[in-house]
């Protein structure tokens, strides 16, 4: 099914995969041309779905292969996975503390990171872009791992991860552009900012693939690093935002969305990988 991709180098495969995820983000962001608002319940469900996909991908596509590869390379599996996982979370924690950004719906005075005089629109885009870094990195590392021919790293598995990330990027793109429209942005500007949040995925994807191709011993660490970064985003940002709204319905909708997202990603990884 994916034979045509095998003719490309791992770096080009990573670029193709992350361009796909970026494209799906833009497709989701294009919904702003048809809708001015989005119901909070639907937004919570979308965020929950994205969280579920990322949680499933962190284990099925990243942590499990990391442990298997560590064994194949003669490393201590549990130590490699734990070190990489915690390092990924620490990296996102540091970026979150230093990069100026502002979450949608909050006043400029509530901007996080280093204090700056940057415009509100720039701060909003940076907040949106922040959690796309580990997604692109995860796809890049997955494709880079295929180059070594290890049993736990398959092209189909990398494609499954890219498809899963792409699926959660569609509602994510809409969840970005439509709220921006509600904040007073024009449809065109809201779309441009919404799709721009995915630009970082091809960049981080290529960087991840290049690093893996150049340094095989870090492969298990890189996989678990990406997993840790993704879980940090889920727990620190996606789940809290998905829980906002009316108390009696917000938890149920976000939880159902997470369950569906997890199941979809698990099916993709097991069926294709």
């Amino acid at each position: 099914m994916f034979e045509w991709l095998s003719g490309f180098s791992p770096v080009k495969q990573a670029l193709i995969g992350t361009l796909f995820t970026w494209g799906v983000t833009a497709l989701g962001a294009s919904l702003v041309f048809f809708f001015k608002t989005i119901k909070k319940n639907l937004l919570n469900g979308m965020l929950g779905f994205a969280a579920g996909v990322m949680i499933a991908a962190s284990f099925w596509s990243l942590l499990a292969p990391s442990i298997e590869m560590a064994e194949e390379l003669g490393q201590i599996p549990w130590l490699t996975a734990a070190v990489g996982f915690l390092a990924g979370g620490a990296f996102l924690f540091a970026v979150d503390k230093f990069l100026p950004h502002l979450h949608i719906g909050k006043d400029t005075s509530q901007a996080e990171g280093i204090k700056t005089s940057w415009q509100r629109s720039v701060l909003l885009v940076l907040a949106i872009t922040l959690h796309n870094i580990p997604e692109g990195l995860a796809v890049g590392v997955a494709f880079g791992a295929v180059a070594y021919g290890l049993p736990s790293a398959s092209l189909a598995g990398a494609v499954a991860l890219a498809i899963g990330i792409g699926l959660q990027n569609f509602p994510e793109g809409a969840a970005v552009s439509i709220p921006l429209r509600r904040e007073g942005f024009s449809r065109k500007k809201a779309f441009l900012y919404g799709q721009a949040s995915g630009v970082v995925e091809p960049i981080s994807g290529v960087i991840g693939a290049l690093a893996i191709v150049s340094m095989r011993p870090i492969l298990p660490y890189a996989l678990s690093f990406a997993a840790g970064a993704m879980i940090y985003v889920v727990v620190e940002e996606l789940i809290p935002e998905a829980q906002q709204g009316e108390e009696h319905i917000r938890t149920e909708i976000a939880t159902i969305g997470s369950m569906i997202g997890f199941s979809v990603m698990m099916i993709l990884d097991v069926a294709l990988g």
Side-chain angles (χ1 to χ4, degrees):
M1 186 184 301
F2 309 111
E3 289 80 6
W4 64 275
L5 266 177
S6 60
F8 295 95
S9 69
V11 175
K12 290 183 178 179
Q13 290 173 350
L15 178 60
I16 293 171
T18 48
L19 284 175
F20 165 75
T21 61
W22 177 21
V24 179
T25 301
L27 190 62
S30 69
L31 292 181
V32 74
F33 292 110
F34 307 98
F35 305 97
K36 185 175 181 179
T37 61
I38 182 172
K39 291 184 177 180
K40 184 57 181 168
N41 293 342
L42 179 58
L43 178 60
N44 287 355
M46 289 179 172
L47 292 173
F49 179 87
V53 168
M54 292 178 71
I55 291 172
S58 295
F59 176 74
W60 294 99
S61 299
L62 298 170
L63 274 177
S66 169
I67 293 172
E68 293 178 13
M69 290 177 191
E71 290 178 331
E72 292 164 358
L73 295 175
Q75 300 172 358
I76 303 175
W78 61 266
L79 181 61
T80 297
V83 169
F85 185 84
L86 293 175
F91 170 74
L92 259 293
F93 175 82
V95 173
D96 190 56
K97 294 300 180 184
F98 287 98
L99 181 70
H101 61 283
L102 176 67
H103 293 289
I104 292 175
K106 293 188 176 182
D107 186 78
T108 307
S109 61
Q110 296 177 291
E112 300 177 21
I114 297 176
K115 298 300 180 182
T116 179
S117 60
W118 292 351
Q119 293 183 352
R120 175 181 175 83
S121 59
V122 175
L123 294 173
L124 287 169
V125 173
L126 287 176
I128 297 162
T129 302
L130 180 61
H131 71 266
N132 283 328
I133 295 175
E135 295 176 10
L137 181 63
V139 174
V141 168
F143 277 106
V146 178
Y148 295 109
L150 297 171
S152 50
S154 66
L155 180 58
V159 171
L161 177 59
I163 293 175
I165 295 298
L167 285 176
Q168 66 97 27
N169 275 359
F170 180 81
E172 194 173 79
V176 168
S177 62
I178 294 178
L180 284 176
R181 171 64 175 160
R182 190 172 61 243
E183 290 212 6
F185 287 64
S186 67
R187 293 183 188 277
K188 182 178 180 180
K189 194 172 184 180
F191 166 73
L192 290 176
Y193 282 167
Q195 64 83 31
S197 67
V199 174
V200 71
E201 291 193 7
I203 297 173
S204 56
V206 169
I207 291 174
L210 282 172
I212 294 306
V213 171
S214 303
M215 297 171 284
R216 178 177 178 178
I218 71 168
L219 178 53
Y221 290 100
L223 286 167
S224 55
F225 179 95
M230 289 177 69
I231 291 298
Y232 181 90
V233 168
V234 170
V235 177
E236 195 273 338
E237 181 178 341
L238 290 182
I239 290 179
E241 290 189 8
Q243 298 293 328
Q244 296 178 7
E246 295 296 329
E247 181 67 35
H248 67 287
I249 57 177
R250 68 186 188 189
T251 301
E252 293 179 0
I253 292 176
T255 301
I256 292 172
S258 298
M259 296 293 288
I260 294 174
F262 187 97
S263 298
V264 168
M265 186 64 234
M266 179 177 63
I267 291 171
L268 278 173
D269 193 270
V270 176
L272 298 180

